[in-house]
Amino acid sequence: MGYDGQIEIVASPQEYNYRNKVRLFVNDEGLGYKERESNKICPVTHCEIANNLINNAILYINEFIKNNNLQNSIDSIVIRCEGQNALINFFVKRKDICNYQGIYLVLGENWGIYETYKNKMYHKLGINKLETDDFNLKLEYGVNTFHQVNPYVERMLYKKVIESVTTKSVVNCYSGAGLLSVFLAKAGKNVEAIELGEDEHSEAERLKDKNNIKNLKNYQGDCQIVLPKLDCKDKTIIVDPPRNGISKEVISFLNECGARKIIYISCNSASLVRDIAILRNYKIVKVYLFDMFARTGEYECLCLLSPIND
Ligand SMILES: C[S@@+](CC[C@H](N)C(=O)[O-])C[C@H]1O[C@@H](n2cnc3c(N)ncnc32)[C@H](O)[C@@H]1O
């Protein structure tokens, strides 16, 4: 499917220190990022695009790992921060091998420490969630659930999506922890949202309840199974799939479901182009590129599609 319209580029208000979540791997030298498409770990003591709270902590966590000879006991760590608070999750190879008291004292009471062993997560010390009153909503973030990593661009992306939904009813597929669904509901839309992840679904339900939202229904399940059970005729369908894109079965359903508009959000243009090429009953009407991952070669694409005969 061709597109000869303009592509609007939306810059990130913050080019550096925007990233609110990082995953770092551990080897003999301490913490590092994996090289692109490789398992080689490059040592990291500072990351230009990570939030300063994360950067300050990397130094101390590196010392904690090395001073306690934990290089072979910890596989990786995930840090997520929100305002002045942060959570860290240690993915360990052996359970209860680390005593986190020392690192907790160094990081401070605004931190929470989790340990994950064989896919099970245990809260160890400090705060257990990140809470904020942003956007006039009571928001809550866990350490592992999916959220956009650049909060400045996230706001602009969601604002543009909400502006683009012209129907009263909307189906939000691959809806994550539910922030966009709640914004859409607050904007007066009737929202149905589908998310596979158990943790993301639970977080989305808590978000809905905490904010007393009535016009939103969150379904937990695979879009391939749940979406065909919903009536999508004349509604707007939002899809924001993982990097590998949308399954052929979901695309076939989208082609035939009679949706008024499809809004495709993607962080991988290769799968986006592949999927849109077979979304034959829809045509591209507008494309935006959001610089979600500023100072890297990646970006978030927002693609608005209308029925081919419109
Ligand atoms: C790129 S994220 C988008 C999340 C959300 N739209 C947001 O802006 O935060 C993709 C989400 O799709 C979920 N997911 C992956 N495969 C899925 C499937 N087959 N059906 C439903 N959700 C799925 C993931 O758990 C993840 O939360």
Side-chain angles (χ1 to χ4, degrees), residues 12 60 66 73 97 106 129 152 168 220 227 249-251 257:
S12 174
Y60 296 123
K66 288 182 191 167
S73 306
I97 199 87
V106 172
K129 58 190 167 205
Y152 311 96
K168 178 75 180 163
Q220 196 221 325
L227 185 60
E249 290 80 359
V250 172
I251 299 266
C257 71

Side-chain angles (χ1 to χ4, degrees), residues 72-261:
N72 291 322
S73 306
I74 301 174
D75 171 73
S76 57
I77 63 166
V78 167
I79 308 175
R80 166 172 285 152
C81 58
E82 173 58 45
Q84 287 312 305
N85 296 331
L87 298 174
I88 178 165
N89 191 1
F90 289 88
F91 289 78
V92 295
K93 297 176 191 166
R94 281 176 291 164
K95 197 166 179 301
D96 293 331
I97 199 87
C98 310
N99 179 348
Y100 299 106
Q101 199 64 44
I103 185 66
Y104 176 61
L105 286 175
V106 172
L107 292 174
E109 285 176 356
N110 53 326
W111 280 73
I113 296 184
Y114 280 89
E115 182 180 271
T116 295
Y117 177 66
K118 291 194 173 166
N119 292 325
K120 224 172 155 15
M121 193 163 90
Y122 305 87
H123 179 246
K124 291 289 181 179
L125 288 166
I127 58 172
N128 59 8
K129 58 190 167 205
L130 300 170
E131 287 177 298
T132 149
D133 276 347
D134 220 352
F135 307 105
N136 289 328
L137 288 168
K138 291 184 175 56
L139 306 182
E140 182 190 309
Y141 302 88
V143 63
N144 281 347
T145 45
F146 181 92
H147 289 276
Q148 304 290 347
V149 292
N150 182 335
Y152 311 96
V153 176
E154 178 191 56
R155 286 160 208 221
M156 296 192 293
L157 171 69
Y158 288 169
K159 190 164 176 276
K160 186 55 75 185
V161 172
I162 293 161
E163 275 171 28
S164 308
V165 177
T166 45
T167 56
K168 178 75 180 163
S169 298
V170 44
V171 181
N172 185 15
C173 303
Y174 312 92
S175 53
L179 195 51
L180 177 59
S181 307
V182 164
F183 286 150
L184 287 159
K186 279 267 180 189
K189 307 294 177 186
N190 293 328
V191 187
E192 292 169 289
I194 309 170
E195 165 59 39
L196 184 62
E198 248 176 70
D199 292 344
E200 278 81 3
H201 172 74
S202 304
E203 209 171 297
E205 280 289 88
R206 281 199 297 279
L207 187 62
K208 175 186 159 184
D209 293 344
K210 268 188 161 184
N211 293 286
N212 202 20
I213 306 277
K214 304 288 181 213
N215 47 331
L216 162 63
K217 174 98 186 82
N218 288 312
Y219 301 97
Q220 196 221 325
D222 191 328
C223 281
Q224 202 165 305
I225 295 168
V226 181
L227 185 60
K229 293 181 182 160
L230 305 182
D231 175 11
C232 296
K233 189 147 174 45
D234 295 328
K235 295 182 180 171
T236 300
I237 314 270
I238 299 169
V239 287
D240 183 3
R243 283 191 72 75
N244 54 353
I246 305 177
S247 69
K248 283 203 177 98
E249 290 80 359
V250 172
I251 299 266
S252 301
F253 174 79
L254 291 174
N255 264 327
E256 303 303 329
C257 71
R260 187 73 203 84
K261 191 180 260 184

